Amino acid sequence: DAGITQSPRYKITETGRQVTLMCHQTWSHSYMFWYRQDLGHGLRLIYYSAAADITDKGEVPDGYVVSRSKTENFPLTLESATRSQTSVYFCASSENPGNSNQPQHFGDGTRLSIL
Amino acid sequence: KQEVTQIPAALSVPEGENLVLNCSFTDSAIYNLQWFRQDPGKGLTSLLLIQSSQREQTSGRLNASLDKSSGRSTLYIAASQPGDSATYLCAVGYNNNDMRFGAGTRLTVKP
């Protein structure tokens, strides 16, 4: 089915471990985004990508790494997880944000707990 | 700093009532503004998008307005239904990759 899929939906890991969250979209949207959602902060942008092999930092990039070798995939890696990275992570995509009429479409999120 | 505030944080109304959700933003040099709906355990669903040059958008029972000069947007829901119960998020876009979110208003519509 067309859409944006995140995996896993739930993940529990320990501090210091590396963990990768996956995001896959079937629309061939050029832009993709990673956000985290925390109580009291709303959603905050971690990283975004304008196209394959083009990525850039958002508001809260520290401790995260992204890559985009293919248009449809945009994985987010926590290289050494910390408890402060416990959050709900959302991936989103957009056809062409250069056109201000293009909305962002969101996945269902990954709930990550770091013990 | 570009901040987005939503008031109230929570709202409970009886079915059939018309209601207004508020969003305010500190930087009026916006690109666009989106209203989203979020159901528990789910992602965000875009409801309405207002471009910087527009004053309002309508979809069914929903109407969103934008007043850049005062830094405000409102989401009007007519004839509310229990199925409208969700968290509503306001997001202000400042360019094609910088979108700032409010913390949301949790709406409960009682049968």
Side-chain angles (χ1 to χ4, degrees):
Chain A
D1 290 342
I4 187 163
T5 305
Q6 294 185 236
S7 61
R9 290 295 317 279
Y10 305 90
K11 176 75 176 177
I12 300 174
T13 190
E14 297 176 339
T15 57
R17 300 252 186 185
Q18 181 180 83
V19 58
T20 296
L21 310 183
M22 305 301 293
C23 179
H24 175 79
Q25 53 108 351
T26 59
W27 291 302
S28 298
H29 285 170
S30 57
Y31 273 75
M32 296 187 75
F33 307 84
W34 274 107
Y35 295 90
R36 60 178 290 174
Q37 185 177 34
D38 304 288
L39 282 174
H41 282 98
L43 276 81
R44 291 178 292 174
L45 181 65
I46 304 170
Y47 269 95
Y48 69 95
S49 169
D53 297 322
I54 300 175
T55 62
D56 209 343
K57 296 177 181 179
E59 185 182 358
V60 288
D62 293 344
Y64 303 95
V65 174
V66 294
S67 62
R68 191 151 178 223
S69 58
K70 294 183 178 181
T71 300
E72 61 266 30
N73 296 324
F74 190 37
L76 175 74
T77 297
L78 288 66
E79 292 190 303
S80 179
T82 65
R83 289 198 179 95
S84 65
Q85 293 177 307
T86 292
S87 186
V88 181
Y89 290 84
F90 287 100
C91 179
S93 71
S94 180
E95 183 172 353
N96 178 12
N99 177 346
S100 64
N101 195 34
Q102 293 297 326
Q104 291 190 15
H105 302 275
F106 283 76
D108 283 341
T110 294
R111 186 175 296 274
L112 177 63
S113 296
I114 300 166
L115 307 178
Chain B
K1 186 177 178 181
Q2 296 153 333
E3 295 184 347
V4 180
T5 304
Q6 291 187 246
I7 294 174
L11 180 64
S12 181
V13 300
E15 181 177 4
E17 194 163 292
N18 302 325
L19 59 99
V20 174
L21 307 181
N22 296 293
C23 172
S24 61
F25 44 94
T26 55
D27 185 347
S28 61
I30 75 170
Y31 184 68
N32 60 23
L33 185 145
Q34 278 188 255
W35 282 94
F36 291 91
R37 169 185 173 136
Q38 185 176 26
D39 293 288
K42 294 290 188 179
L44 283 67
T45 300
S46 181
L47 297 172
L48 290 165
L49 183 151
I50 309 175
Q51 296 179 75
S52 175
S53 59
Q54 298 174 325
R55 294 298 298 267
E56 66 176 349
Q57 283 286 339
T58 298
S59 176
R61 294 183 293 109
L62 305 180
N63 175 275
S65 67
L66 173 64
D67 184 345
K68 287 192 302 180
S69 62
S70 65
R72 294 177 188 235
S73 175
T74 61
L75 178 67
Y76 174 82
I77 303 177
S80 58
Q81 303 170 359
D84 294 330
S85 297
T87 297
Y88 291 81
L89 298 170
C90 168
V92 180
Y94 287 101
N95 56 45
N96 58 9
N97 55 54
D98 186 6
M99 195 157 69
R100 304 293 172 126
F101 286 79
T105 294
R106 186 185 306 159
L107 173 66
T108 303
V109 181
K110 297 174 289 187

